[in-house]
Amino acid sequence: MNLTTRLLAALRERGASEIFGIPGDFALPLFREIERAAMLPLVTLSHEPAVGFAADAAARARGGLGVAAVTYGAGALNLVNAVASAYAERVPLVVLSGAPAAHELASGFVLHHQVKTTDSQWRLYREITADRARLDDAAQAPAQIARVLGTALRRSLPVYLEIPRDMAAAPCAEVPHAPPPRPDPEAVAACADELLQRLRAAARPVLMVGVEVRRFGLEDQVAELARRLGVPVVTSFMGRGLLAGTGAPLHGTYLGLAGDPAVTELVEGSDGLLLLGVIVSDTNFAVSAQRIDLRRTVHAFDDRVAMGHHVYPGVPLAALLPALLQRLPAAPAVAAPAPPPPARPAPAPGDAALRPQDIAAAVNALFERHGAMPVASDVGDCLFTAMDIGPTALLAPGYYATMGYGVPAGLGLQCATGRRPLVLVGDGAFQMTGWELGHARRAGCDPIVIVFNNAAWEMLRAFEPEGGFNALERWDFASMAAGMGGDGHAVHTVAELQAALERAVATRGRFQLLDVRLAPGAVSPTLARFVAAVRRLSMPLPGTATAAEATAHATLS
Ligand code: S1T
Ligand code: MG
């Protein structure tokens, strides 16, 4: 066994099920050993951002590690945005980068693909990963690999392994299993006791769940906790899709002023808000009608639990949840009252020009007829529209908000789980990475892709209507599908959309691209509310001198 095969065994034992990648001369030995070992399938794509997004989605969808393999310099630096997104969204993505051999580093030459120094890439990756190792000594490599992969899983964050091209085939010992550090049981017990005491003292406790619940595979435990507590559950914007199908009393997604007023009132009127695995970000909380006083919440995130003015460090969700469940009687035989059914946009007449909400209505009807599909969404109005779809699993970079995620994520999701995804993507984002569909057949994938073709960067135009720079030509994506091995459907009306979705579901083995020609300027109700809310909270209101005062005014009003 050599360094690469030991690394592959360690990756597979920690949940990886494939490697996405693009080679380069500094990575050819690594790719050769990966192919020879045949221990993890190697899925090559066309552009490194897509490699990162696909590996990110594989980790999110399946749990465990996602793996992206690239060459040194041009490849690894092309990957940076996707790794940054994984860091922001707390995804355990492992970057494997080829690198110069020892004799090349000692040559005295400036090397091709080198930036400022041969360490520039290492230093750049320090800012977007939780741990790193350069595997230039076979005696150290097993312990380094164990430590770095352990960090990825324990923190649910990206990590970086640099493999010099003269080391890929070097003989190497087995990678040990480094058990994760055990939390202090006394601290966990004290934390669980105080948390439950606070919830019992609250008149209107509410549970909000976020990304860490999925990242650490805790959905079933959280659903059971919600049932035993008998409190309403909502997801954060980024947590949309969580607890789908678990029977938890899920009341919807909290979007502040941009969301369902009943959910907003539930959250902002609570005197006992329990945030589990929620990133306290602007996308999750910025458009709050009432500023939520986080000092009155209980916030369990990133291995710590904050309550009021004090923090329990070293208490991960995976330890806190069993401690809470041990302290609560099993859920009552009678389930908590089911939340109200989500308000569905009324279907438009068959010949009506298409709006984003018509896509949501048609997809919901399709899911009712054929069963829900997991959804991978890009950034743009398609993600706001996704708030009206479901309940179903949803993968999207809701916080870091990078475009280009949707199509590669759909491929990553299907490679890792075998489930056929529905991909939602705007025309602008499709122009970035939609072409990766050309790899679908070879990767054994057949996603159904809905392109929100509004001939604009519409989400930006909603904020900046005068910006002519947000206009795009209307591309004919439907006619491009066949050339990439799929089927294209140009769709102009509600009736055509419904028919195209039925044909797409009935066709397997070829991706299906629905090129939905949206009415110019049409935006989803959620995006419209989001824009109005941002305007209200950030524009000075009459009689207030500054935005800060406006915010204060919004808080008090
Ligand atoms: N580049 C990248 C890689 N990610 C981004 N998020 C942006 C730029 C900025 C940006 C948005 S939303 C948006 C851009 C350019 C327009 C999206 O256009 P399209 O995909 O056609 O979707 P839609 O027309 O539905 O808006 C966010 C706010 O930063
Ligand atoms: Mg667009």
Tab-separated table of all heavy atoms in Angstrom, residues 81 379-382 401-403 425-430 432 452 454 456-460 472, ligand 1:
chain	number	residue	atom	x	y	z
A	81	ASN	N	-13.044	29.629	-4.350
A	81	ASN	CA	-14.380	30.133	-4.010
A	81	ASN	C	-15.284	29.019	-3.493
A	81	ASN	O	-16.035	29.200	-2.533
A	81	ASN	CB	-15.026	30.799	-5.227
A	81	ASN	CG	-16.390	31.390	-4.904
A	81	ASN	OD1	-16.523	32.161	-3.944
A	81	ASN	ND2	-17.403	31.009	-5.660
A	379	VAL	N	-28.073	30.219	-6.529
A	379	VAL	CA	-28.421	31.476	-5.854
A	379	VAL	C	-29.115	32.367	-6.874
A	379	VAL	O	-28.759	32.353	-8.045
A	379	VAL	CB	-27.122	32.140	-5.330
A	379	VAL	CG1	-27.357	33.578	-4.929
A	379	VAL	CG2	-26.581	31.321	-4.165
A	380	GLY	N	-30.087	33.092	-6.468
A	380	GLY	CA	-30.884	33.948	-7.357
A	380	GLY	C	-32.337	33.765	-6.949
A	380	GLY	O	-32.626	33.208	-5.874
A	381	ASP	N	-33.256	34.168	-7.789
A	381	ASP	CA	-34.657	34.048	-7.390
A	381	ASP	C	-35.076	32.589	-7.290
A	381	ASP	O	-36.044	32.245	-6.623
A	381	ASP	CB	-35.550	34.799	-8.385
A	381	ASP	CG	-36.911	35.116	-7.784
A	381	ASP	OD1	-37.058	34.993	-6.539
A	381	ASP	OD2	-37.830	35.458	-8.550
A	382	CYS	N	-34.334	31.691	-7.929
A	382	CYS	CA	-34.664	30.251	-7.809
A	382	CYS	C	-34.598	29.804	-6.356
A	382	CYS	O	-35.377	28.953	-5.918
A	382	CYS	CB	-33.739	29.411	-8.673
A	382	CYS	SG	-31.990	29.548	-8.310
A	401	ALA	N	-23.833	32.248	-0.462
A	401	ALA	CA	-24.565	32.804	-1.613
A	401	ALA	C	-23.699	32.947	-2.860
A	401	ALA	O	-23.766	33.956	-3.563
A	401	ALA	CB	-25.179	34.151	-1.262
A	402	THR	N	-22.934	31.920	-3.176
A	402	THR	CA	-22.197	31.969	-4.439
A	402	THR	C	-23.049	31.373	-5.555
A	402	THR	O	-23.719	30.371	-5.365
A	402	THR	CB	-20.874	31.198	-4.374
A	402	THR	OG1	-20.235	31.264	-5.664
A	402	THR	CG2	-21.071	29.726	-4.027
A	403	MET	N	-22.975	31.992	-6.720
A	403	MET	CA	-23.628	31.399	-7.880
A	403	MET	C	-22.778	30.260	-8.417
A	403	MET	O	-21.608	30.122	-8.085
A	403	MET	CB	-23.800	32.458	-8.977
A	403	MET	CG	-24.840	33.501	-8.688
A	403	MET	SD	-24.580	34.951	-9.696
A	403	MET	CE	-25.013	34.314	-11.319
A	425	VAL	N	-32.014	26.686	-11.115
A	425	VAL	CA	-30.862	27.538	-11.437
A	425	VAL	C	-31.320	28.691	-12.316
A	425	VAL	O	-32.177	28.522	-13.200
A	425	VAL	CB	-29.752	26.703	-12.140
A	425	VAL	CG1	-30.263	26.034	-13.404
A	425	VAL	CG2	-28.518	27.534	-12.429
A	426	GLY	N	-30.782	29.884	-12.073
A	426	GLY	CA	-31.089	31.032	-12.921
A	426	GLY	C	-30.274	30.986	-14.203
A	426	GLY	O	-29.276	30.255	-14.294
A	427	ASP	N	-30.658	31.827	-15.171
A	427	ASP	CA	-29.902	31.811	-16.428
A	427	ASP	C	-28.477	32.320	-16.209
A	427	ASP	O	-27.512	31.803	-16.778
A	427	ASP	CB	-30.626	32.601	-17.528
A	427	ASP	CG	-31.021	34.016	-17.126
A	427	ASP	OD1	-31.195	34.280	-15.928
A	427	ASP	OD2	-31.149	34.861	-18.006
A	428	GLY	N	-28.333	33.326	-15.347
A	428	GLY	CA	-26.982	33.832	-15.077
A	428	GLY	C	-26.095	32.777	-14.456
A	428	GLY	O	-24.941	32.591	-14.869
A	429	ALA	N	-26.599	32.054	-13.492
A	429	ALA	CA	-25.793	31.017	-12.824
A	429	ALA	C	-25.544	29.849	-13.771
A	429	ALA	O	-24.467	29.251	-13.758
A	429	ALA	CB	-26.494	30.544	-11.557
A	430	PHE	N	-26.538	29.548	-14.629
A	430	PHE	CA	-26.329	28.454	-15.588
A	430	PHE	C	-25.179	28.792	-16.524
A	430	PHE	O	-24.376	27.940	-16.898
A	430	PHE	CB	-27.594	28.184	-16.400
A	430	PHE	CG	-27.527	26.894	-17.195
A	430	PHE	CD1	-28.068	25.731	-16.705
A	430	PHE	CD2	-26.883	26.857	-18.425
A	430	PHE	CE1	-27.986	24.531	-17.416
A	430	PHE	CE2	-26.781	25.668	-19.156
A	430	PHE	CZ	-27.333	24.514	-18.648
A	432	MET	N	-22.592	30.105	-15.811
A	432	MET	CA	-21.315	29.874	-15.107
A	432	MET	C	-20.948	28.393	-15.092
A	432	MET	O	-19.880	28.004	-15.542
A	432	MET	CB	-21.408	30.384	-13.670
A	432	MET	CG	-21.484	31.886	-13.558
A	432	MET	SD	-21.463	32.375	-11.811
A	432	MET	CE	-21.489	34.170	-11.995
A	452	PHE	N	-34.446	29.156	-14.658
A	452	PHE	CA	-35.293	30.356	-14.540
A	452	PHE	C	-34.743	31.371	-15.545
A	452	PHE	O	-33.879	32.173	-15.218
A	452	PHE	CB	-35.224	30.917	-13.124
A	452	PHE	CG	-35.927	30.097	-12.072
A	452	PHE	CD1	-35.656	28.750	-11.900
A	452	PHE	CD2	-36.888	30.680	-11.251
A	452	PHE	CE1	-36.307	28.001	-10.927
A	452	PHE	CE2	-37.542	29.942	-10.265
A	452	PHE	CZ	-37.250	28.593	-10.116
A	454	ASN	N	-34.901	34.420	-17.176
A	454	ASN	CA	-35.542	35.744	-17.155
A	454	ASN	C	-34.680	36.790	-17.831
A	454	ASN	O	-34.879	37.992	-17.656
A	454	ASN	CB	-35.847	36.160	-15.704
A	454	ASN	CG	-34.612	36.041	-14.817
A	454	ASN	OD1	-33.483	36.043	-15.318
A	454	ASN	ND2	-34.821	35.910	-13.522
A	456	ALA	N	-31.903	38.079	-17.227
A	456	ALA	CA	-31.388	39.128	-16.334
A	456	ALA	C	-30.721	38.514	-15.121
A	456	ALA	O	-30.953	37.353	-14.788
A	456	ALA	CB	-32.534	40.016	-15.855
A	457	TRP	N	-29.886	39.323	-14.493
A	457	TRP	CA	-29.484	39.042	-13.115
A	457	TRP	C	-30.597	39.664	-12.261
A	457	TRP	O	-30.464	40.729	-11.663
A	457	TRP	CB	-28.135	39.687	-12.817
A	457	TRP	CG	-26.983	39.025	-13.515
A	457	TRP	CD1	-26.824	37.684	-13.771
A	457	TRP	CD2	-25.820	39.654	-14.015
A	457	TRP	NE1	-25.636	37.450	-14.401
A	457	TRP	CE2	-24.995	38.647	-14.564
A	457	TRP	CE3	-25.374	40.964	-14.068
A	457	TRP	CZ2	-23.750	38.910	-15.136
A	457	TRP	CZ3	-24.142	41.243	-14.636
A	457	TRP	CH2	-23.353	40.213	-15.178
A	458	GLU	N	-31.752	39.012	-12.283
A	458	GLU	CA	-32.975	39.624	-11.787
A	458	GLU	C	-32.914	39.950	-10.313
A	458	GLU	O	-33.444	40.965	-9.863
A	458	GLU	CB	-34.167	38.698	-12.051
A	458	GLU	CG	-35.526	39.364	-11.819
A	458	GLU	CD	-35.713	40.614	-12.670
A	458	GLU	OE1	-35.346	40.585	-13.866
A	458	GLU	OE2	-36.183	41.651	-12.109
A	459	MET	N	-32.249	39.113	-9.536
A	459	MET	CA	-32.197	39.404	-8.093
A	459	MET	C	-31.498	40.736	-7.861
A	459	MET	O	-31.885	41.505	-6.972
A	459	MET	CB	-31.446	38.286	-7.363
A	459	MET	CG	-31.396	38.481	-5.867
A	459	MET	SD	-30.702	37.037	-5.052
A	459	MET	CE	-30.339	37.749	-3.457
A	460	LEU	N	-30.483	41.018	-8.669
A	460	LEU	CA	-29.801	42.311	-8.506
A	460	LEU	C	-30.666	43.444	-9.042
A	460	LEU	O	-30.735	44.538	-8.462
A	460	LEU	CB	-28.450	42.284	-9.230
A	460	LEU	CG	-27.438	41.295	-8.697
A	460	LEU	CD1	-26.106	41.438	-9.402
A	460	LEU	CD2	-27.251	41.425	-7.188
A	472	LEU	N	-29.497	40.660	-19.358
A	472	LEU	CA	-28.793	39.624	-20.123
A	472	LEU	C	-29.569	39.353	-21.405
A	472	LEU	O	-30.768	39.637	-21.473
A	472	LEU	CB	-28.705	38.322	-19.301
A	472	LEU	CG	-27.931	38.353	-17.987
A	472	LEU	CD1	-28.094	37.007	-17.250
A	472	LEU	CD2	-26.457	38.642	-18.209
B	1	S1T	N1	-20.858	36.067	-8.684
B	1	S1T	C1	-20.998	34.912	-7.980
B	1	S1T	C2	-20.043	33.765	-8.265
B	1	S1T	N2	-21.934	34.780	-7.048
B	1	S1T	C3	-22.769	35.828	-6.760
B	1	S1T	N3	-23.676	35.653	-5.771
B	1	S1T	C4	-22.672	37.046	-7.485
B	1	S1T	C5	-21.679	37.118	-8.427
B	1	S1T	C6	-23.589	38.254	-7.198
B	1	S1T	C7	-25.035	37.932	-7.547
B	1	S1T	C8	-26.037	37.634	-6.612
B	1	S1T	S1	-27.530	37.285	-7.399
B	1	S1T	C9	-26.865	37.562	-8.967
B	1	S1T	C10	-25.526	37.897	-8.879
B	1	S1T	C11	-24.682	38.215	-10.079
B	1	S1T	C12	-27.710	37.418	-10.214
B	1	S1T	C13	-28.174	35.995	-10.394
B	1	S1T	O1	-28.709	35.905	-11.723
B	1	S1T	P1	-29.445	34.567	-12.181
B	1	S1T	O2	-28.598	33.394	-11.926
B	1	S1T	O3	-29.905	34.785	-13.564
B	1	S1T	O4	-30.678	34.456	-11.188
B	1	S1T	P2	-31.904	35.513	-11.079
B	1	S1T	O5	-32.120	36.112	-12.425
B	1	S1T	O6	-33.073	34.688	-10.642
B	1	S1T	O7	-31.514	36.515	-10.049
B	1	S1T	C14	-25.973	37.623	-5.068
B	1	S1T	C15	-27.041	38.556	-4.484
B	1	S1T	O8	-24.782	38.057	-4.558
